[in-house]
Amino acid sequence: MSGEANQVAWRGVQPVAGIRGVWPAIDSVRVNKDGYAAAGATTVIYTVPAGKIFFLASALLTSKFSGAISTYAWLLARTPGDAEFLNIVTQYYYVDGQATNVIQHSPALEFAAGYDFVVRTGVGGPIGRAGIYGWLEDA
């Protein structure tokens, strides 16, 4: 209605300022990162910056293997001291193949500053690409 002083009042809706782990705050920073690891390698995709909390909303791991040995591809979260903290996605191979896994979290998983996300592949194993999506908020 034209001339209405407060349209929010008559529509009965309020802007959503963010729901912790479910909906990003208006001033949050969106994060969409990916990385690649050759056979037997570990690659850091993203490290949560100081003073921030990262909310992981979704993740993807895709890999391809040519061979006939037992091997893996992983998407992992590590602590600030580089200790493995959470295995987000694992793919196992015994013969040639390829796989893609997408995982979504609602509410999002919460990680403190200093945690990092890595894609890792087994020795003599697959090549892998992983991606993460989420948002940053102040700690």
Side-chain angles (χ1 to χ4, degrees):
M1 303 173 105
S2 62
E4 178 69 44
N6 185 352
Q7 292 186 4
V8 172
W10 69 263
R11 289 186 181 172
V13 296
Q14 295 290 330
V16 175
I19 301 171
R20 186 178 185 90
V22 176
W23 189 262
I26 292 170
D27 61 347
S28 66
V29 176
R30 304 314 191 266
V31 175
N32 187 7
K33 300 289 183 181
D34 67 278
Y36 167 85
T42 299
T43 303
V44 175
I45 299 170
Y46 182 70
T47 302
V48 181
K52 299 290 184 181
I53 296 173
F54 176 68
F55 292 91
L56 177 67
S58 63
L60 171 137
L61 176 63
T62 185
S63 59
K64 182 177 181 181
F65 175 65
S66 297
I69 61 170
S70 177
T71 189
Y72 293 86
W74 299 272
L75 173 59
L76 304 164
R78 300 189 308 187
T79 66
D82 291 341
E84 291 180 9
F85 173 71
L86 177 65
N87 183 348
I88 299 169
V89 181
T90 298
Q91 295 170 344
Y92 170 76
Y93 291 95
Y94 184 70
V95 295
D96 295 354
Q98 59 187 25
T100 299
N101 296 93
V102 178
I103 189 165
Q104 294 182 310
H105 300 284
S106 184
L109 301 180
E110 201 171 315
F111 295 90
Y115 277 75
D116 61 16
F117 299 87
V118 299
V119 57
R120 177 180 297 158
T121 56
V123 176
I127 55 173
R129 178 171 292 280
I132 59 169
Y133 173 76
W135 67 92
L136 287 173
E137 293 184 12
D138 292 333

